[in-house]
Amino acid sequence: MKKEFSQNTKIITIVVSVILVAFSLWSKWNTDIFPRFIREAFLAGSLFLLLPVILKSKKLLASRLTDKLKNILILVLGLYLAFFISAFLIKSSPFTFRFTQESNYLLNVTTGLQHFVIGSLSYLAGIFLIVISVSLYQLTLYRRKKWPSNLLKAALVSGSITLFLSFIRNKPVAVEIFVHNGNTETIIFYVITVFFLFLISFKNSWVNYLNKRQKLVSLLSLLVTGPLIFGLDFINLQNIINSFSLIIGGAFFIVINFLELYVVLAFLSILLHLPTAGIFDRKVRQLGFLQNISRKLGSVQDKDVLKRMIIEFSSEIIESDLVWYQERDSEKNEYRLAASSAKVEDNTFLINLDPGYEMNKVISKTREPYVLNGFSKSTGDAKTDKYKRLRGSLIGIPLVSQNLDVMGILYSFKGTEFAFDNEDIEVLKAFANQIVTTLDNIQLQEEAIEKERLKQELKVAREVQLKLLPKDIPALNGKAEIDAYSLPAHEVGGDYYDFVKISDHKLGVIIGDVSGKGTSAAFYMAEIKGIVQSLVSLYDSPREFLIQINKTLYDNIDKRSFITLSYAIFDTEKMTVRFARAGHSPLLVFRKNKEETEVITNLPKGIGLGLDRGNLFNIIIEEKTFEYKSGDVFLFYTDGATDAFNADGNEFSEENVIESIKENISLPPDLLRKSLMTDIKIFAKNGMVGDDITLIVIKIPHEMISLVQDEE
Amino acid sequence: MNTFEVKRRDYDDVSVLLLNGFLDAHTAQIFEKELQTLVDEQRYKIVVNLAELNYISSAGLGVFMGFIEDVRENSGDIKLSNLIPKVYKVFDLLGFPSLYEIFDKEEDATSKF
């Protein structure tokens, strides 16, 4: 429970303490007015009140270790100063040796000034005691929370009893108690107190947390403070205090003993820790590095940056002369020097170090670190016949991913033998794990970014594509009913269709299929539309038109890609169709006779666009012209319709397309198309929708008496 | 996933690739790799036996187109044999018989070199 001290409370406390102090000081002047115990009570009371104020004061109770030691030294010096001034003022011999002192501890105090001086000195000593004790105790508790511990409680209890006994017997707690009789109880409790204090003095684990420099500084300050503290045995200080108050005097004695014990043990402890100070520092630094590194690695997103960091950090973390990283190409199962701290010329040094890269092979197989903790290799230059012996230690740490794949090996070389200990290996392993995690993260990030990029790409391509397909079908004054439909297999399709109004009575119908899928197909589709749009008005003949398209397209298409295209020009006046086909699916014409429906498969010769520059294409391509009648149904389709697979691996095939249309021949084009699509979908229910499906259905309605005058 | 694999047999300076399974956009690269190997080895007299090929898509057809120019420029050729009717239809629709020599039997193709 913390006690919050407001300003007012502090002021009141100090005022009351001062009053008590004044009383106790004054009471001495009239030795008979106040009995001893009241004076001691005022003393104790004032010090007790001041205790929390002292404890809260940051300046007196320093937080840093070396500052604490410094403060103790300053306090001791201050005490010496106060003492010498006082000794001069009361004309007392300052020096004495406690261990030879007889029982005449009481000084000859007569004047008021003398009283005041020894009283003040005693008070100063009292405050000094409190601060010292608390500082010392904080040292013992360094990095531990338990306050107060059982040992402290025990020491306080037995110490209090000792002081109480001393007060009752009116005999000071000093060396004398061992000399004179009648002090047995006091001696017993004093010894018990010292015993507990001795145990407390062993708690100097704060020594471990000092770095080398701090250890030396502490050693030095203890070397100075120690003799000073022991020097307190040689001055008359305690006698002066005892003349004023036995309790403060006794407490002083006990605390000084505690201080002596503690200083000696701390000094020895630091001395014994000095040889290992360097190692401790190194470990602390390594730990700091690892924490720092994991933070920095976490933000790395570039493999090259990572490789440089690997070298940088490895050099720091285990103080090596040379560090290099061999990256493994998992496809070729080869190693390649990816980064190193050495200059490029020193690569021959690395090669000499491990000719044939045997270590790579061993480490790849075992997936464990490989340590050569001391080797001596002759590196020879045969020409000059000079031989150098290469001495040192070499360590290789594999970077192993989660699926036990070796991603690379980190090598570290030091020019002295037995340079790497087990901790170094452990630290490097920890570091290697972090690198692997970072590499994995980078990989995942790259994949995620790629995936997102593709998604976006497809989205854009789809939007573009939708814009390229015709929005409306040109009206032909009721001379033909047309339905057009396209179902892409994926986000982006490769099918293409278009309508061109050549004149009032002439309509061009184009249907095509770009090889491949995805964005590249979409781009070719856009290209083809562009070429078509620019050429269609120039050519009456579908055959000529396709020849031109092929000529233009061939130079602008990848050699592995091609486009199939059919072009039909409907002349609704003459009721003829001119038709040419470049590698595309046939044009089906359905004619309903009285009994049955006839199917004509129009398959004029023609190879796909983009396969040949023109030599073969132009020779092969044919054009066909035929008449049509009212009631005829035309079906243009892409091979997605016939190629649809079912779960048994059978295709829908042209036969089924024909069957479906025949069955529904009486329906208008849109319903005809829908029923065909339904048939396909049912067929391919559990199979693949592998390709885009495009259907154009054109129905020639039966002649109607037209109210509009026709041109003859 | 549809399976596809390529087997290779060499007779003197003619190599025969036997395709098996489904040749589509996913498996096309396997076929492509085999042809690339032959070209790298400068073996330009190639017969592709399609007896075990069940299906070919435009991506598969594109693989042939990707190599034919280079092969023919080096006085070689890619000849096809043993097409099943379903597969032949696909080739025919596109006009491949005008671009490539297609035979019923592998021996007819190899002997043509």
Side-chain angles (χ1 to χ4, degrees):
Chain A
M1 202 169 61
K2 269 190 181 172
K3 291 185 199 159
E4 307 292 324
F5 269 53
S6 66
Q7 280 291 89
N8 291 334
T9 324
K10 269 192 194 152
I11 292 171
I12 293 170
T13 316
I14 291 174
V15 163
V16 171
S17 316
V18 166
I19 292 171
L20 289 175
V21 165
F23 260 123
S24 55
L25 285 178
W26 175 68
S27 68
K28 184 66 177 173
W29 300 355
N30 309 294
T31 30
D32 297 322
I33 295 180
F34 283 101
R36 257 189 322 129
F37 64 86
I38 293 182
R39 191 181 70 246
E40 299 275 18
F42 282 157
L43 269 171
S46 59
L47 283 173
F48 182 73
L49 279 175
L50 284 173
L51 190 70
V53 179
I54 294 171
L55 284 178
K56 287 278 177 265
S57 161
K58 286 265 170 171
K59 274 194 224 156
L60 283 178
L61 301 178
S63 47
R64 281 173 41 202
L65 280 172
T66 40
D67 284 345
K68 272 205 231 288
L69 293 179
K70 200 172 59 175
N71 286 358
I72 291 176
L73 177 61
I74 290 171
L75 282 169
V76 171
L77 285 172
L79 200 61
Y80 269 92
L81 186 67
F83 165 75
F84 281 119
I85 293 173
S86 313
F88 173 73
L89 285 173
I90 60 171
K91 297 183 182 61
S92 160
S93 155
F95 297 106
T96 181
F97 190 40
R98 284 195 299 151
F99 292 88
T100 60
Q101 184 65 27
E102 293 293 324
S103 66
N104 52 334
Y105 58 89
L106 283 172
L107 301 173
N108 203 8
V109 183
T110 47
T111 68
L113 177 65
Q114 285 176 333
H115 291 144
F116 182 77
V117 164
I118 65 173
S120 310
L121 184 62
S122 304
Y123 258 105
L124 213 67
I127 293 172
F128 163 86
L129 285 180
I130 294 171
V131 177
I132 280 265
S133 312
V134 174
S135 295
L136 275 184
Y137 195 67
Q138 279 183 334
L139 276 179
T140 67
L141 277 188
Y142 187 70
R143 290 203 184 183
R144 270 181 263 179
K145 297 288 177 186
K146 210 172 164 205
W147 168 289
S149 75
N150 293 331
L151 275 176
L152 174 67
K153 288 179 198 159
L156 281 172
V157 165
S158 59
S160 307
I161 295 173
T162 316
L163 294 177
F164 182 70
L165 285 172
S166 134
F167 168 72
I168 293 205
R169 297 292 167 88
N170 202 20
K171 289 246 171 23
V173 181
V175 179
E176 292 77 28
I177 65 170
F178 295 103
V179 175
H180 293 267
N181 297 325
N183 280 338
T184 333
E185 299 94 346
T186 323
I187 293 172
I188 291 170
F189 280 99
Y190 170 72
V191 167
I192 292 171
T193 312
V194 169
F195 172 68
F196 286 130
L197 292 174
F198 179 64
L199 288 180
I200 296 177
S201 305
F202 274 102
K203 297 190 191 297
N204 50 24
S205 58
W206 51 271
V207 166
N208 288 324
Y209 297 98
L210 300 173
N211 64 30
K212 201 163 185 180
R213 192 190 65 84
Q214 285 174 324
K215 278 189 180 122
L216 288 172
V217 164
S218 306
L219 212 58
L220 221 64
S221 79
L222 285 175
L223 269 175
V224 170
T225 318
L228 282 175
I229 292 169
F230 279 92
L232 291 170
D233 290 336
F234 292 81
I235 59 176
N236 223 358
L237 180 56
Q238 204 188 354
N239 279 335
I240 294 177
I241 297 174
N242 278 329
S243 310
F244 184 74
S245 158
L246 284 179
I247 287 184
I248 295 186
F252 189 79
F253 185 69
I254 294 171
V255 170
I256 293 301
N257 288 337
F258 180 33
L259 199 56
E260 286 166 349
L261 280 170
Y262 199 86
V263 160
V264 166
L265 284 172
F267 183 82
L268 285 175
S269 182
I270 296 178
L271 207 60
L272 290 172
H273 271 92
L274 266 183
T276 57
I279 295 177
F280 185 77
D281 285 355
R282 199 157 71 118
K283 297 306 160 196
V284 168
R285 218 179 42 235
Q286 275 179 352
L287 195 67
F289 273 139
L290 269 179
Q291 288 174 338
N292 192 21
I293 283 167
S294 71
R295 213 170 21 89
K296 280 195 188 160
L297 279 181
S299 59
V300 171
Q301 300 193 340
D302 186 304
K303 274 200 182 137
D304 291 324
V305 170
L306 180 64
K307 284 176 203 167
R308 273 186 289 130
M309 280 177 109
I310 291 173
I311 300 301
E312 205 181 290
F313 289 148
S314 308
S315 315
E316 280 178 15
I317 214 169
I318 54 165
E319 295 170 5
S320 43
D321 294 333
L322 276 177
V323 177
W324 66 99
Y325 176 58
Q326 296 259 0
E327 191 176 22
R328 180 170 164 268
D329 182 336
S330 50
E331 279 175 11
K332 298 182 188 164
N333 196 20
E334 279 174 1
Y335 283 92
R336 189 183 62 88
L337 183 69
S340 75
S341 63
K343 296 188 211 97
V344 175
E345 302 93 80
D346 285 348
N347 200 357
T348 53
F349 162 81
L350 299 176
I351 294 172
N352 285 333
L353 205 55
D354 180 17
Y357 297 103
E358 286 303 315
M359 273 184 85
N360 283 349
K361 291 187 194 145
V362 170
I363 293 174
S364 296
K365 227 159 114 187
T366 61
R367 294 193 182 85
E368 286 293 319
Y370 189 85
V371 187
L372 273 177
N373 229 342
F375 63 86
S376 181
K377 211 176 172 66
S378 142
T379 69
D381 186 351
K383 288 182 208 156
T384 63
D385 211 22
K386 268 188 183 165
Y387 283 89
K388 275 196 295 183
R389 283 216 88 82
L390 185 67
R391 284 179 216 277
S393 311
L394 179 66
I395 187 171
I397 306 271
L399 270 56
V400 183
S401 68
Q402 282 217 2
N403 52 354
L404 299 181
D405 212 19
V406 178
M407 295 161 93
I409 301 179
L410 182 62
Y411 283 101
S412 177
F413 170 79
K414 202 146 192 240
T416 54
E417 290 170 286
F418 298 103
F420 302 118
D421 61 24
N422 278 337
E423 271 83 46
D424 288 325
I425 298 173
E426 291 305 314
V427 162
L428 274 180
K429 268 167 95 169
F431 181 50
N433 284 339
Q434 285 181 345
I435 300 172
V436 167
T437 308
T438 310
L439 279 171
D440 282 340
N441 282 344
I442 294 177
Q443 182 81 8
L444 283 172
Q445 266 178 20
E446 282 174 357
E447 282 170 13
I449 292 172
E450 183 63 23
K451 217 167 158 182
E452 186 59 33
R453 201 181 58 79
L454 274 173
K455 226 169 92 176
Q456 277 304 104
E457 216 179 78
L458 284 174
K459 197 168 147 223
V460 168
R462 177 97 188 107
E463 281 168 14
V464 167
Q465 239 200 1
L466 283 174
K467 291 207 168 83
L468 292 175
L469 290 175
K471 293 178 189 60
D472 317 296
I473 299 164
L476 274 174
N477 296 331
K479 297 288 172 72
E481 292 168 7
I482 306 174
D483 179 83
Y485 173 81
S486 187
L487 178 71
H490 306 279
E491 291 97 336
V492 182
D495 275 3
Y496 165 65
Y497 70 91
D498 212 347
F499 298 98
V500 185
K501 187 162 181 184
I502 299 170
S503 71
D504 273 341
H505 57 262
K506 273 193 186 165
L507 176 72
V509 179
I510 303 164
I511 187 167
D513 184 352
V514 180
S515 71
K517 293 184 188 54
T519 45
S520 55
F523 284 130
Y524 286 137
M525 181 197 158
E527 197 178 352
I528 251 299
K529 182 176 170 98
I531 298 173
V532 160
Q533 294 290 335
S534 58
L535 293 178
V536 75
S537 48
L538 299 175
Y539 296 94
D540 280 337
S541 153
R543 177 176 171 274
E544 291 296 322
F545 176 64
L546 288 175
I547 287 174
Q548 267 311 117
I549 292 184
N550 182 61
K551 189 169 148 190
T552 313
L553 187 71
Y554 185 77
D555 288 322
N556 293 304
I557 195 171
D558 183 69
K559 56 185 177 180
R560 290 171 295 186
S561 300
F562 53 86
I563 298 179
T564 64
L565 207 68
S566 282
Y567 183 35
I569 300 181
F570 284 78
D571 187 331
T572 54
E573 259 186 14
K574 297 183 187 160
M575 290 179 78
T576 54
V577 177
R578 285 176 81 174
F579 177 65
R581 180 194 75 89
H584 197 74
S585 308
L587 166 61
L588 300 175
V589 184
F590 298 82
R591 183 162 296 162
K592 194 158 191 271
N593 295 329
K594 288 193 194 82
E595 298 300 319
E596 40 145 45
T597 306
E598 194 191 328
V599 176
I600 305 155
T601 307
N602 292 294
L603 200 65
K605 291 214 194 80
I607 68 174
L609 299 167
L611 292 171
D612 164 75
R613 186 178 290 278
N615 306 328
L616 273 176
F617 185 92
N618 302 352
I619 297 170
I620 295 170
I621 188 153
E622 291 177 338
E623 182 180 304
K624 191 172 166 183
T625 305
F626 55 90
E627 292 175 357
Y628 63 83
K629 293 189 193 148
S630 318
D632 281 355
V633 175
F634 292 81
L635 177 67
F636 296 81
Y637 65 92
T638 58
D639 59 6
T642 48
D643 286 0
F645 275 99
N646 68 359
D648 298 326
N650 297 319
E651 296 174 346
F652 192 68
S653 83
E654 198 180 274
E655 283 76 40
N656 282 325
V657 169
I658 291 171
E659 275 309 307
S660 173
I661 298 290
K662 272 187 177 174
E663 261 179 34
N664 300 295
I665 195 74
S666 332
L667 295 174
D670 58 337
L671 293 178
L672 200 53
R673 179 258 299 169
K674 279 176 185 164
S675 61
L676 174 56
M677 278 308 301
T678 308
D679 287 343
I680 295 172
K681 279 181 186 165
I682 291 172
F683 177 83
K685 200 168 52 162
N686 296 318
M688 302 192 312
V689 179
D691 204 355
D692 314 317
I693 299 174
T694 302
L695 301 170
I696 301 177
V697 181
I698 300 181
K699 198 166 190 181
I700 309 297
H702 289 282
E703 273 176 14
M704 291 185 300
I705 310 294
S706 174
L707 296 172
V708 176
Q709 193 109 31
D710 280 319
E711 275 185 34
E712 263 304 301
Chain B
M1 259 290 95
N2 290 319
T3 54
F4 177 78
E5 63 169 2
V6 182
K7 288 204 195 82
R8 172 177 155 180
R9 272 192 301 217
D10 291 341
Y11 304 96
D12 283 337
D13 53 351
V14 177
S15 291
V16 177
L17 295 178
L18 298 114
L19 307 187
N20 184 313
F22 278 73
L23 182 52
D24 59 14
H26 295 108
T27 54
Q29 58 197 4
I30 302 172
F31 182 35
E32 204 168 1
K33 222 172 171 180
E34 284 295 331
L35 278 175
Q36 185 62 50
T37 307
L38 287 178
V39 166
D40 290 342
E41 292 175 18
Q42 295 183 323
R43 297 185 67 85
Y44 296 108
K45 297 188 176 162
I46 302 166
V47 172
V48 183
N49 183 328
L50 300 162
E52 308 277 299
L53 187 76
N54 292 318
Y55 171 86
I56 187 163
S57 75
S58 54
L61 294 161
V63 176
F64 288 97
M65 296 308 301
F67 287 95
I68 191 63
E69 206 176 305
D70 193 24
V71 164
R72 282 180 179 161
E73 273 172 14
N74 285 284
S75 311
D77 199 13
I78 303 176
K79 300 187 198 294
L80 312 176
S81 76
N82 304 78
L83 278 67
I84 65 175
K86 194 176 71 175
V87 170
Y88 184 83
K89 210 166 155 191
V90 174
F91 277 91
D92 193 25
L93 202 62
L94 195 54
F96 261 51
S98 309
L99 300 164
Y100 297 82
E101 288 188 309
I102 301 180
F103 300 90
D104 286 336
K105 294 195 217 137
E106 181 189 308
E107 304 79 66
D108 300 337
T110 49
S111 60
K112 258 292 194 130
F113 276 112

